[in-house]
Amino acid sequence: MSWQTYVDEHLMCDIEGQNQHLTAAAIIGHDGNVWAKSEKFPDLKGNEITDIMKDFDSPDHLAPTGLHLGGVKYMVIQGEPGAVIRGKKGSGGITIKKTAAALIFGIYDEPVTPGQCNLVVERLGDYLSDQGM
């Protein structure tokens, strides 16, 4: 299966059969190379991936300044140190799951809930981790 298929069919899928889906999603290597992304995923700027990777290594790295993606700032909220970063911006937010080789991104807006985004992103991340990716 291609990386784009994972984005299209597993991240941008209908959530819980409700014709709701993430706003944007991507799979990006630890080095910042984009493996696949949805049409509305923002263009990365500067050291955004480097800063996200630092937060996985040193949780709370992003807390003082916020998480930036495509120049958009998200307030960092609870996550799982070394495994998941979650951010909030207005009525939407972001979930990032780290696997052995990649970062799985999901960006959402209402009516999608944070829990729904977490489930979609983390389920794919767990599957890829189980596959050694």
Side-chain angles (χ1 to χ4, degrees):
M1 189 178 307
S2 77
W3 292 114
Q4 192 62 50
T5 302
Y6 282 112
V7 170
D8 296 342
E9 295 182 7
H10 297 279
L11 293 174
M12 297 302 293
C13 60
D14 280 348
I15 297 172
E16 299 172 359
Q18 298 179 6
N19 198 24
Q20 299 172 359
H21 51 81
L22 299 178
T23 304
I27 302 173
I28 299 175
H30 290 181
D31 59 3
N33 285 324
V34 177
W35 295 3
K37 64 179 186 161
S38 65
E39 184 179 327
K40 293 183 179 178
F41 192 80
D43 291 330
L44 301 172
K45 306 208 181 311
N47 293 325
E48 292 174 339
I49 297 299
T50 304
D51 285 339
I52 290 167
M53 289 300 294
K54 277 184 191 170
D55 197 76
F56 280 116
D57 293 336
S58 302
D60 295 331
H61 170 75
L62 292 174
T65 58
L67 183 161
H68 292 81
L69 189 71
V72 174
K73 180 179 177 180
Y74 296 87
M75 178 179 66
V76 177
I77 55 176
Q78 96 291 347
E80 296 169 30
V84 179
I85 298 171
R86 298 183 182 107
K88 188 87 173 123
K89 180 180 185 313
S91 61
I94 187 168
T95 302
I96 307 167
K97 169 77 175 175
K98 181 182 180 194
T99 70
L103 301 173
I104 315 301
F105 288 80
I107 299 172
Y108 68 93
D109 287 301
E110 285 186 334
V112 173
T113 67
Q116 289 171 319
C117 180
N118 296 342
L119 182 67
V120 169
V121 171
E122 293 175 40
R123 183 173 29 199
L124 179 59
D126 289 343
Y127 170 78
L128 292 175
S129 290
D130 290 347
Q131 304 304 308
M133 295 301 303

